[in-house]
Amino acid sequence: MHGLISLYQNNIRYLILLLLLSLSVPQTNAQQVIWANKNNLDKRTDFTKVIGQNRFGVFVLKHKNSTFRRYFILEQFDKKMNLLKSKTFKIPGGELEKIVVTENQVVYFTKVYGKGFFYTLRMQTIDSSMNESAPQTIVNSESFNNETINFRIEYTHKKDKFLIWYMLEEGEKTKIVYHLCSVNNYIKQGENIIESNLSEIYVGDAAIDDSANLFIFYSKSERFRSKNSEDFFHYVYGYNLNSGKVLNQLINNTETYVSSYKIAYNYSNNTVTAIGFHGLDNEDENKGYFSVIVDCSQLNVRQTVFKDFDRKIVSQIIGAKNEKNGDQLSKFKIKKLIPKIDGGILIIAERSYVTTQSEIFYVNGIPQSSYAKIFNNDEVLLLSTDSTGNTLWTDVIIKNQSTVNDGGYYNGIIVMVNDDQINILYNDKLNANADIIQVSYQPNGEHTKKILLNNDQYYALVIPAEYNQVTSNSIVIPINQNRDFTYIKLLY
């Protein structure tokens, strides 16, 4: 699912599939919409996450909350979203760390707690009949010394290798320990040192390439609560597991704030690109973006650029008067990086923030206070770069979503990537009758906007935090239809 690169190249079979589906599935212009049968869905849980699809069907993860402690529920649907099986998997004394749908099975990792600072990480598989394998211990706690371990698990785009890594204190330094495995075999383990104290490091994002080499985007500071840019240093780190070669590249100066950064691997040209926003006045300011492109085979920085946003786009978002006064964008968060086959990146960001509102009211003449959290998800910014990090085109989707005390459950966007376009979906006018809107972008920035599902007919709201793109041309979205929970599958 990286970029505009197809996971499936057989266009003839794809066209035949669309023709067959069009005979039996309701159409919404260029998409087919498949609705799950609400009568057989499990309603015992509150948290749902679509995790993927393979040749045995679509898999959905469920739990009473997002902690996934002691157990998890896995549901299996056929490709037309009919529920086939539902099973509870118990995790005595532990919690789910990662679950991945591969071509032939589901792979999951659990962190099991012992006495004190005792942690074990185990790997298991689930087959098409929902039978689980015996647990394989990947990490035990022999080297842990009064440290709470935060396991990180990355996997290659083919999902054939898994890199489990974590950080430990090593005097005044930080030790990165890794364990590399496949579904069937434990491959190797190793470690490397970062010349900083563990308490001074915050890992923002990570990725691995096809050879499972590790790339990290991290921040270093002795005072993380500081509001001064000179107290923060931001690095792109790379580690070649075979040669031991290390890259540790500083990307900002002491006058630059860096925010909302992500890192992505492009398997079409074997590069890793680190993208983030920068500002000068404060950490919320988004004056522009930076791009750091790393050659994975040579483990060196190929290109670094810092660019300001086009002032026409700034004016479109904050208004012409504020733009003329020199104001900048603010509070944009990168939602997704989409590597492109030409070596560039499509950045999709959304202006999102939380505010607190207080209100005074009187009960029997005595003043009382109430507080409400307001979740705001506003404009969507799209920015396409070339293979050197320079801007090709920029666009903005104007939307305003604001909800109170709900965690922003129906706020945000859904991103669907296929061969020839990017589709962005969201709920429109959450405080009124909400249509589901779709904006479709071509690689050159041309786009169209339409109502995907009309509220008058469907009474539906998508749940952006729980969706997943399950193939190169389909996406499964949890949805609230007329106050009842179900799923839709969109085929493009």
Side-chain angles (χ1 to χ4, degrees):
M1 289 188 290
H2 292 278
L4 303 178
I5 308 163
S6 174
L7 296 180
Y8 302 93
Q9 299 295 329
N10 194 331
N11 292 327
I12 296 177
R13 291 178 60 192
Y14 171 59
L15 292 173
I16 293 174
L17 175 64
L18 291 184
L19 179 61
L20 293 174
L21 287 170
S22 67
L23 300 177
S24 57
V25 181
Q27 294 192 16
T28 306
N29 293 344
Q31 295 89 36
Q32 287 76 43
V33 182
I34 300 174
W35 290 82
N37 186 347
K38 289 186 285 188
N39 295 330
N40 60 4
L41 298 182
D42 189 338
K43 300 178 181 178
R44 296 174 294 164
T45 57
D46 295 325
F47 185 86
T48 300
K49 178 66 178 178
V50 180
I51 57 172
Q53 175 181 308
N54 61 20
R55 59 196 181 97
F56 301 111
V58 176
F59 293 88
V60 174
L61 183 66
K62 306 194 78 172
H63 196 271
K64 67 178 180 180
N65 53 52
S66 59
T67 61
F68 293 104
R69 290 181 177 171
R70 296 191 296 275
Y71 75 95
F72 64 90
I73 297 171
L74 191 65
E75 292 183 334
Q76 180 184 4
F77 296 81
D78 66 18
K79 295 178 182 180
K80 292 186 178 181
M81 297 309 295
N82 297 305
L83 184 63
L84 300 177
K85 301 184 186 74
S86 180
K87 184 176 179 179
T88 299
F89 295 86
K90 296 183 179 180
I91 317 171
E95 64 186 44
L96 184 67
E97 285 286 288
K98 194 83 165 184
I99 186 164
V100 182
V101 178
T102 66
E103 183 179 1
N104 297 309
Q105 56 205 332
V106 177
V107 181
Y108 72 98
F109 297 83
T110 53
K111 178 181 181 180
V112 181
Y113 296 86
K115 293 182 179 180
F117 293 90
F118 185 96
Y119 310 99
T120 301
L121 188 78
R122 298 171 181 170
M123 180 177 71
Q124 292 176 259
T125 61
I126 301 170
D127 64 20
S128 60
S129 300
M130 290 287 206
N131 297 316
E132 59 188 318
S133 66
Q136 177 184 358
T137 298
I138 304 298
V139 184
N140 58 38
S141 67
E142 293 177 2
S143 61
F144 302 159
N145 183 23
N146 296 328
E147 292 186 60
T148 299
I149 303 303
N150 178 26
F151 292 115
R152 300 284 295 257
I153 302 170
E154 321 296 339
Y155 53 89
T156 57
H157 83 276
K158 294 181 180 179
K159 302 177 183 177
D160 58 348
K161 295 187 185 74
F162 299 88
L163 186 72
I164 300 95
W165 63 279
Y166 51 94
M167 292 180 164
L168 296 172
E169 287 186 359
E170 187 80 358
E172 297 298 317
K173 302 177 182 180
T174 296
K175 180 167 68 174
I176 297 178
V177 182
Y178 73 84
H179 299 259
L180 180 64
C181 63
S182 66
V183 173
N184 300 315
N185 298 299
Y186 184 91
I187 300 173
K188 65 177 180 178
Q189 68 181 77
E191 58 187 50
N192 188 247
I193 294 294
I194 292 180
E195 301 287 338
S196 299
N197 194 299
L198 180 59
S199 63
E200 299 174 359
I201 292 177
Y202 168 75
V203 176
D205 201 12
I208 62 174
D209 63 13
D210 275 341
S211 299
N213 299 314
L214 178 62
F215 297 87
I216 303 172
F217 202 153
Y218 75 92
S219 300
K220 175 185 174 182
S221 178
E222 296 180 359
R223 299 191 302 163
F224 274 108
R225 295 185 178 181
S226 170
K227 299 295 184 181
N228 300 318
S229 61
E230 61 265 23
D231 291 328
F232 294 88
F233 303 90
H234 306 279
Y235 294 84
V236 174
Y237 168 92
Y239 178 52
N240 187 301
L241 273 59
N242 291 319
S243 69
K245 185 177 180 180
V246 173
L247 168 73
N248 199 27
Q249 179 73 40
L250 177 68
I251 60 173
N252 70 304
N253 58 41
T254 56
E255 298 177 354
T256 305
Y257 290 91
V258 167
S259 64
S260 187
Y261 49 77
K262 284 186 178 295
I263 193 167
Y265 174 60
N266 189 329
Y267 61 83
S268 68
N269 60 6
N270 199 30
T271 58
V272 159
T273 303
I275 298 281
F277 295 148
H278 65 84
L280 294 177
D281 290 340
N282 57 68
E283 59 187 357
D284 288 331
E285 182 184 77
N286 309 132
K287 187 173 185 290
Y289 73 94
F290 64 86
S291 170
V292 181
I293 302 172
V294 178
D295 185 318
C296 296
S297 59
Q298 300 297 321
L299 204 64
N300 58 22
V301 174
R302 180 185 293 178
Q303 192 86 30
T304 300
V305 298
F306 276 72
K307 292 287 184 180
D308 289 349
F309 291 129
D310 187 323
R311 297 303 292 179
K312 292 181 180 179
I313 288 292
V314 174
S315 176
Q316 191 175 348
I317 295 173
I318 67 175
K321 182 178 180 180
N322 291 327
E323 188 277 327
K324 287 183 180 179
N325 290 334
D327 293 349
Q328 307 292 345
L329 302 181
S330 66
K331 297 183 173 64
F332 274 87
K333 307 293 189 300
I334 296 177
K335 308 295 289 187
K336 195 174 186 68
L337 296 180
I338 303 173
K340 302 186 300 181
I341 198 167
D342 63 4
I345 289 278
L346 177 63
I347 306 166
I348 300 179
E350 182 181 35
R351 189 167 186 257
S352 59
Y353 55 98
V354 180
T355 56
T356 302
Q357 182 178 6
S358 61
E359 182 179 354
I360 304 295
F361 61 97
Y362 290 86
V363 178
N364 296 327
I366 300 175
Q368 306 286 330
S369 299
S370 69
Y371 297 88
K373 276 192 173 183
I374 302 174
F375 295 85
N376 303 278
N377 293 74
D378 296 333
E379 299 89 354
V380 177
L381 179 67
L382 295 94
L383 192 148
S384 181
T385 71
D386 62 17
S387 60
T388 63
N390 290 307
T391 307
L392 291 175
W393 57 264
T394 311
D395 196 52
V396 62
I397 299 173
I398 302 296
K399 72 174 179 66
N400 298 100
Q401 296 172 322
S402 179
T403 56
V404 180
N405 291 338
D406 68 344
Y409 191 58
Y410 298 108
N411 294 7
I413 58 174
I414 288 169
V415 181
M416 164 70 198
V417 184
N418 58 10
D419 283 349
D420 54 1
Q421 67 180 18
I422 309 294
N423 301 285
I424 296 177
L425 292 76
Y426 60 92
N427 298 310
D428 187 34
K429 300 177 182 177
L430 289 176
N431 295 325
N433 293 327
D435 297 323
I436 297 173
I437 302 297
Q438 175 173 288
V439 186
S440 300
Y441 283 84
Q442 304 301 316
N444 62 2
E446 294 181 1
H447 59 277
T448 58
K449 180 179 179 181
K450 70 178 182 181
I451 296 175
L452 182 70
L453 296 177
N454 189 293
N455 178 267
D456 292 338
Q457 182 179 359
Y458 292 100
Y459 304 99
L461 292 171
V462 294
I463 305 172
E466 300 179 356
Y467 85 97
N468 201 350
Q469 181 170 339
V470 295
T471 71
S472 64
N473 70 308
S474 65
I475 187 169
V476 176
I477 308 170
I479 195 165
N480 184 331
Q481 186 186 29
N482 201 19
R483 299 184 179 181
D484 203 357
F485 181 84
T486 187
Y487 305 92
I488 59 171
K489 185 176 189 180
L490 299 178
L491 290 160
Y492 289 79

